[in-house]
């Protein structure tokens, strides 16, 4: 019997859908339709047909979810849950989808949702504590005997795997410790509280003694290993403070108990939800028309045209937007308050104590100051009704919504496909912006540690950053800018303290996809960004930034620039990882052809590839002949692949404390969006 074609199935489904007057559309129509489509798709031969099959099934599942997401009868329908649970397997955002289903209560009374979610958290995020928290949460919703038996079986299997992992980690740790007196060493007994037992208990009986900063070791006399602008004493003091807080975490002056630090791969049970609607996962339509492909044609012009206007001037930005017919007031999560900012958030008052302030109909508690610049400051914020929901709150004067516009555009323009690079996971999520007469207030995702902190962590231990980390984070930067520039966005303020660290691996893959979909860096502070969609193809700029040390070579030589400014900032940041010092450019005296180089000395410990890398990126001929970022990322990834084979675990064990605090903070900063008060002005 000949199988029907996709077109025939679609026609038959549409016909039945129009005539259907039953009570269970998902079970009667949608699920059989999906099964029929799956039957005629080609077999998945070693993953060769996965992407093409997903492109057919994914839209069907999404349409079904969007149609019935708020239908109380279908939310409890097991067939609807089956359809929904196909989506995460075809998406790059698995964790986000599970969180969405949890929030909307889709399939929560069935074991399969919780098992899939816990297994993803365990296998892909390497977060044992998070997986355990998911199994614990499942107990609140599952009541059917069959479902309880299924979840219990999965839970027992997880507990066995965790105990086995914990024992191996303990044995590995013990094998690296040389006891001072062998007669006093005892073997681990069943009475010893393992990581597994501590996790399952409410509180450990004893707290682990805080680790003290280690004395300097393995020093190198290379004169280029200088401290960044923070003095060495201050850096040591900061990391000593961090080490002393290894058992607790401070949020707005309140100490919160943490899972003990011997849970190495997941330090806290994370919140089980961090998105609000399907639209926050799916790509939405942009304010500026964007094709379904990345823009490759901006530089495909006969000549470059220089725009002498200052692209960083807020008035010029507003004029360009008005000319293009783009209205801020139409943007989602944007609101206006026709008053001045409440006095409790004045610059001279924040950070001294916790202030409770109502903004846009919602009450927040504002805590310590995270950072400060010429035009504003960033402070911690949390919902008064839910103190666990925390944000970074950026307050700027004069009022501006440009960064909000840029981040919203990037999120909308990004094309999200399963298994591919996802820029949305590498830029901050913006939840809300309120514009006052004198200030603007933006609530956004918060991340704890910067790339500059990572460099200073090594300086505090008198170590260089290992080559594997240099390559790992450089590849991530190259991928970010390769993708972002094809979306026609220039960041224009790239530096190491504008990269937030999201992931610090304990091991590196020996496969050539070692820098795959897991995001390791988040690029922040888009307040000076340029949206090239608002300009004609081939438009270049000549404006120079105030800080000469961050000015690209083209700015210093009064030449037009477009993407070169970002590439210079990227090289500037990589320079900090390689040399642990800020970059200063000068003419290359050895070449004597006017080419530029860094003043840092390339010593024996510096890999040869960096000399070629810095030379190419500091000597870009013109706006139309740029380095191939993707080719460089592939090349560095090949080198990382080889370096990973030689890497020994002991070579990077000293980064455990940085990684522990990073994981702890990241698990705390997974907020839900601030609620929008009814009747707000838009």
């Amino acid at each position: 019997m000949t199988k029907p074609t996709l077109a025939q199935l679609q026609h038959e489904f549409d016909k039945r859908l129009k005539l259907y007057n039953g009570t269970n559309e998902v079970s009667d129509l949608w699920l059989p339709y999906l099964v029929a489509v799956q039957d005629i798709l080609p077999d998945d031969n070693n993953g060769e047909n996965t992407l093409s099959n997903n492109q057919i099934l994914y839209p069907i599942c999404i349409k079904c979810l969007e149609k019935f997401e708020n239908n109380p009868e279908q939310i409890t329908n097991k067939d609807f849950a089956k359809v929904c649970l196909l989506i995460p397997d075809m998406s790059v955002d698995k964790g986000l989808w599970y969180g969405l289903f949890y929030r909307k209560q889709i399939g929560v009374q069935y074991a399969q949702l919780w098992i899939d979610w816990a297994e993803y958290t365990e296998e892909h995020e390497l977060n044992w504590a998070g997986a355990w928290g998911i199994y614990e949460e499942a107990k609140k919703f599952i009541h059917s005997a069959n479902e309880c038996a299924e979840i219990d079986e999965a839970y027992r299997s997880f507990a066995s795997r965790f105990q086995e992992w914990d024992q191996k980690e303990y044995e590995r740790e013990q094998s690296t410790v040389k006891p001072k007196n062998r007669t006093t060493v005892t073997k681990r007994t069943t009475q010893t509280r393992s990581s597994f037992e501590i996790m399952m208990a409410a509180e450990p009986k004893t707290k682990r003694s805080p680790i003290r900063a280690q004395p300097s070791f393995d020093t190198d006399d290379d004169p280029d290993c200088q401290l960044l602008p923070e003095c060495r004493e201050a850096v040591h003091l900061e990391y000593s403070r961090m080490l002393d807080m290894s058992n607790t975490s401070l949020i707005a002056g309140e100490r919160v108990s943490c899972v003990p630090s011997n849970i190495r791969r997941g330090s806290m049970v994370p919140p089980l939800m961090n998105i609000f609607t399907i639209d926050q996962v799916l790509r939405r339509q942009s304010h500026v028309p964007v094709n379904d492909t990345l823009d490759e044609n901006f530089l495909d012009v006969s000549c470059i045209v220089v725009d002498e206007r200052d692209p960083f001037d807020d008035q010029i930005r507003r004029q360009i937007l008005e000319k293009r017919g783009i209205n801020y007031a139409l943007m989602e999560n944007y609101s206006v308050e026709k008053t001045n900012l409440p006095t409790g958030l004045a610059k001279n008052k924040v950070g001294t104590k916790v202030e409770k302030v109502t903004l846009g109909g919602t009450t927040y508690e504002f805590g310590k100051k995270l950072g400060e610049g010429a035009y504003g400051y960033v402070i911690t914020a949390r919902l008064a009704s839910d103190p666990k929901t925390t944000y970074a709150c950026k307050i700027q004067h004069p009022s501006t919504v440009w960064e909000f516009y840029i981040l919203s555009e990037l999120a909308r323009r990004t094309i999200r496909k399963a298994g591919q690079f996802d820029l949305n996971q590498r830029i901050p999520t913006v939840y809300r912006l309120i514009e006052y007469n004198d200030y603007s207030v933006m609530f956004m995702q918060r991340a704890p540690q910067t790339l500059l902190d990572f460099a200073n962590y090594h300086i505090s231990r008198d170590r260089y950053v290992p080559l594997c980390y240099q390559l790992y984070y450089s590849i991530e930067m190259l991928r970010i800018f390769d993708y972002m520039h094809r979306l026609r966005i220039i960041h224009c303020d790239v530096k190491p303290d504008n990269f937030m660290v999201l992931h610090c691996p304990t091991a590196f893959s020996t496969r050539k996809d070692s820098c795959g979909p897991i995001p390791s860096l988040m690029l922040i502070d888009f307040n000076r960004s340029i949206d090239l969609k608002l300009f004609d193809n081939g438009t270049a700029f000549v404006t120079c930034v105030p800080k000469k040390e961050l000015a690209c070579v083209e700015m210093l030589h009064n030449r037009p620039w477009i993407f070169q400014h970002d590439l210079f900032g990227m090289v500037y940041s990589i320079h900090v990882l390689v040399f642990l010092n800020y970059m200063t450019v000068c003419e290359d005296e050895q070449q004597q052809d006017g080419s530029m180089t860094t003043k840092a000395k390339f010593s024996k410990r510096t890999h040869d590839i960096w000399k070629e890398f810095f030379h190419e990126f500091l000597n870009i001929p013109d706006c139309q002949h740029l380095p191939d970022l993707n080719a460089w990322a592939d090349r560095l990834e090949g080198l990382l692949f080889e370096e990973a084979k030689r890497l020994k675990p002991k070579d990077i064990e000293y980064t455990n404390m940085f990684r522990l605090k990073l994981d702890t903070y990241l698990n705390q900063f997974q907020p839900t969006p601030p609620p929008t008060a009814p009747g707000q002005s838009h």
Side-chain angles (χ1 to χ4, degrees):
M1 182 177 177
T2 306
K3 289 186 177 181
T5 64
L6 281 172
Q8 290 172 333
L9 285 176
Q10 177 70 49
H11 177 73
E12 182 66 21
F13 174 74
D14 291 341
K15 184 174 70 172
R16 294 188 181 188
L17 194 60
K18 289 179 181 178
L19 300 174
Y20 185 77
N21 56 7
T23 58
N24 194 344
E25 186 178 313
V26 173
S27 299
D28 295 341
L29 294 181
W30 286 89
L31 188 59
Y33 174 49
L34 268 172
V35 172
V37 171
Q38 286 176 316
D39 286 342
I40 67 170
L41 291 177
D43 293 334
D44 190 9
N45 298 321
N46 298 322
E48 293 178 6
N49 299 318
T50 300
L51 187 57
S52 58
N53 290 352
N54 288 351
Q55 288 173 342
I56 296 170
L57 295 170
Y58 189 76
I60 300 173
C61 297
I62 293 296
K63 286 180 182 178
C64 181
L65 172 61
E66 289 178 330
K67 186 172 183 178
F68 299 105
E69 61 170 312
N70 296 317
N71 186 317
E73 293 181 0
Q74 294 298 341
I75 283 176
T76 59
N77 181 1
K78 192 169 186 177
D79 288 338
F80 181 56
K82 288 179 181 178
V83 174
C84 292
L85 288 176
L86 293 174
I87 297 174
D89 289 334
M90 297 184 284
S91 172
V92 72
D93 301 305
K94 288 188 179 182
L96 297 183
W97 282 113
Y98 292 130
L100 176 68
F101 299 153
Y102 170 82
R103 169 175 282 281
K104 290 186 169 292
Q105 305 288 288
I106 296 173
V108 292
Q109 66 269 49
Y110 302 113
Q112 197 58 51
L113 167 68
W114 302 99
I115 294 172
D116 288 355
W117 192 3
E119 288 179 352
Y120 167 78
T121 304
E122 174 191 342
E123 295 173 11
H124 296 274
E125 298 181 356
L126 301 178
N127 188 343
W128 296 93
W132 171 76
I134 291 168
Y135 282 118
E136 287 295 302
E137 187 73 5
K139 297 176 183 178
K140 301 177 184 177
F141 298 93
I142 296 179
H143 306 294
S144 164
N146 291 337
E147 300 296 330
C148 286
E150 188 176 349
I151 196 83
D152 286 344
E153 182 180 354
Y155 184 79
R156 285 194 297 270
S157 177
F158 162 77
S160 176
R161 291 193 302 275
F162 179 76
Q163 286 179 308
E164 182 180 349
W165 170 85
D166 181 54
Q167 184 64 29
K168 287 180 180 178
E169 287 293 293
Y170 176 82
E171 291 171 355
R172 184 189 63 79
E173 185 181 82
Q174 291 302 304
S175 66
T176 61
V177 178
K178 294 182 179 179
K180 294 181 180 179
N181 185 353
R182 292 188 179 274
T183 60
T184 62
V185 177
T186 58
K187 292 184 178 180
R188 186 177 184 177
T189 65
T190 55
Q191 284 74 32
T192 304
R193 291 172 62 84
S194 67
S195 300
F196 177 80
E197 293 163 342
I198 292 174
M199 181 186 288
M200 300 307 173
E203 284 291 337
K205 292 179 180 178
T206 58
K207 288 191 175 181
R208 192 170 73 107
S209 300
I211 306 170
R212 299 298 172 183
Q214 297 290 330
S216 61
F217 45 130
D218 295 341
T219 58
D220 194 324
D221 295 331
D222 191 329
D224 292 322
C225 183
Q226 300 174 17
L227 189 65
L228 302 182
E230 298 80 3
C231 68
R232 183 175 297 272
E233 188 175 329
V235 173
H236 273 293
L237 182 63
E238 167 63 18
Y239 281 96
S240 296
R241 180 193 65 79
M242 187 180 77
L243 293 169
D244 288 340
M245 293 175 64
S246 59
N247 285 305
T248 54
S249 177
L250 190 64
I251 300 180
E254 180 179 311
R255 289 196 178 274
V256 182
S257 177
C258 297
V259 173
S261 55
N262 57 352
I263 307 276
R264 299 164 188 81
R265 302 194 189 185
S267 38
M268 289 191 69
V269 179
L272 296 181
M273 49 192 170
N274 55 3
I275 57 173
F276 193 62
T277 64
I278 297 175
D279 285 341
Q280 287 182 302
V281 184
L282 297 175
R283 171 175 175 253
R284 302 178 203 160
Q285 186 178 358
S286 172
H287 288 292
V288 180
V290 183
N291 296 326
D292 282 341
T293 57
L294 295 173
D295 194 341
E296 309 281 359
N297 303 318
F298 185 76
L299 298 177
D300 187 16
V301 292
S302 58
C303 64
I304 295 296
V305 178
V306 174
D307 190 329
E308 296 186 352
R309 292 177 296 178
D310 183 357
F312 309 123
D313 185 278
D314 202 52
Q315 289 301 319
I316 292 176
R317 290 169 173 169
R318 289 178 183 265
Q319 290 172 9
I320 294 172
L321 288 173
E322 289 173 5
K323 186 177 179 181
R324 292 274 181 161
I326 299 172
N327 188 353
Y328 281 139
L330 299 178
M331 292 195 299
E332 192 174 2
N333 299 322
Y334 167 80
S335 60
V336 177
E337 296 288 336
K338 300 296 184 182
T339 60
N340 289 339
L341 183 74
T343 56
L345 293 180
K347 191 173 182 178
N348 59 340
K349 291 185 178 181
V350 296
T352 56
K353 61 178 182 178
V354 176
E355 293 284 349
K356 186 175 288 189
V357 181
T358 299
L359 301 179
T362 305
T363 303
Y364 302 93
E365 293 178 351
F366 294 90
K368 65 180 181 179
K369 189 181 295 184
L370 297 174
E372 185 175 347
Y375 302 102
Y377 45 97
V378 181
I379 57 178
T380 59
R382 64 183 185 182
L383 288 175
S385 59
D386 182 12
K388 293 182 180 179
T389 303
T390 65
Y391 312 93
C393 180
K394 193 169 189 176
I395 302 175
Q396 290 181 279
H397 175 79
S399 176
T400 176
V401 294
W402 184 253
E403 183 174 13
F404 179 75
Y405 164 77
I406 291 289
L407 288 170
S408 300
E409 280 301 295
L410 275 174
R412 292 184 178 100
R413 295 179 195 182
T414 300
I415 301 168
R416 317 193 81 168
K417 292 184 179 179
Q420 295 187 9
F421 182 90
D422 184 5
L423 184 65
N424 269 330
Q425 294 182 325
R426 290 152 173 97
I427 59 174
T429 301
V430 180
Y431 300 106
R432 188 178 185 184
L433 183 132
I434 308 172
E435 190 172 13
Y436 289 88
N437 294 338
D438 51 350
Y439 283 85
S440 59
V441 181
M442 183 167 65
F443 293 89
M444 56 200 302
Q445 181 182 357
R446 180 180 174 186
Q449 303 283 337
T450 69
L451 205 60
L452 187 63
D453 293 327
F454 185 69
N456 278 334
Y457 180 86
H458 286 78
I459 291 173
S460 69
R461 280 151 175 73
D462 291 311
R463 284 179 175 264
Y464 286 108
V465 178
L467 178 61
C468 52
Y469 284 120
Q470 296 175 22
L471 296 168
Y472 182 74
Y473 290 123
S474 299
I475 294 165
E476 182 82 339
M477 292 185 214
L478 287 161
R479 301 284 191 211
I480 288 173
F481 291 111
D482 177 61
Y483 199 101
M484 191 171 73
H485 288 170
R486 286 188 282 155
L487 296 177
R488 289 201 185 188
I489 298 291
I490 317 175
H491 185 276
C492 293
D493 193 17
V494 182
K495 51 188 177 181
D497 33 337
N498 278 344
F499 282 107
M500 310 304 294
V501 179
L502 299 179
H503 181 57
C504 184
T506 56
F508 296 89
S509 173
T510 55
R511 294 179 290 115
K512 293 189 178 181
D513 60 348
S514 50
C515 297
I518 299 177
S520 58
L521 293 175
M522 179 194 290
L523 183 60
I524 64 169
D525 199 355
F526 284 77
N527 201 47
R528 295 182 61 80
S529 297
I530 299 174
D531 183 1
L532 293 175
K533 283 281 183 184
L534 304 177
F535 297 86
D536 295 331
N537 282 5
T539 301
F541 309 94
V542 290
T543 304
C544 186
V545 296
K547 292 184 178 180
K548 298 299 181 184
E549 63 271 17
L550 294 176
C552 62
V553 173
E554 287 73 17
M555 291 179 180
L556 297 175
H557 292 170
N558 296 317
R559 301 203 308 261
W561 56 269
I562 306 177
F563 300 114
Q564 295 98 313
H565 190 22
D566 275 3
L567 301 185
F568 181 87
M570 179 188 70
V571 173
Y572 187 88
S573 303
I574 293 174
H575 189 282
V576 168
L577 290 176
V578 176
F579 296 102
L580 291 180
N581 199 1
Y582 287 137
M583 181 173 70
T584 304
V585 295
C586 62
E587 287 195 14
D588 192 338
E589 297 177 356
Q590 295 180 351
Q591 299 292 334
Q592 295 184 346
D593 58 358
S595 60
M596 307 298 287
T597 186
T598 173
K599 284 187 177 180
K601 304 298 181 184
F602 290 89
S603 60
K604 292 181 179 179
R605 67 161 192 85
T606 310
H607 197 280
D608 293 341
I609 200 170
W610 293 126
K611 183 175 287 189
E612 181 184 349
F613 181 87
F614 284 110
H615 177 78
E616 181 168 345
F617 279 85
L618 293 178
N619 295 279
I620 299 174
D622 54 60
C623 294
Q624 291 178 288
H625 296 86
L626 302 171
D628 189 333
L629 303 189
N630 200 39
W632 265 106
D634 290 341
R635 188 175 170 189
L636 296 186
E637 197 169 72
L639 180 58
L640 177 59
F641 165 67
E642 297 298 330
E643 184 68 17
K645 293 179 180 178
R646 296 188 292 268
L647 188 69
K648 298 178 181 178
K650 66 178 183 180
D651 295 335
I652 57 173
E653 278 185 354
Y654 68 94
T655 62
N656 283 345
M657 183 51 64
F658 181 89
R659 188 179 304 107
L660 170 67
K661 296 306 294 181
L662 178 68
D663 290 345
T664 301
Y665 284 129
L666 285 175
N667 285 332
Q668 291 169 356
F669 305 144
Q670 297 292 333
T672 54
T676 302
Q680 274 186 330
S681 57
H682 286 278

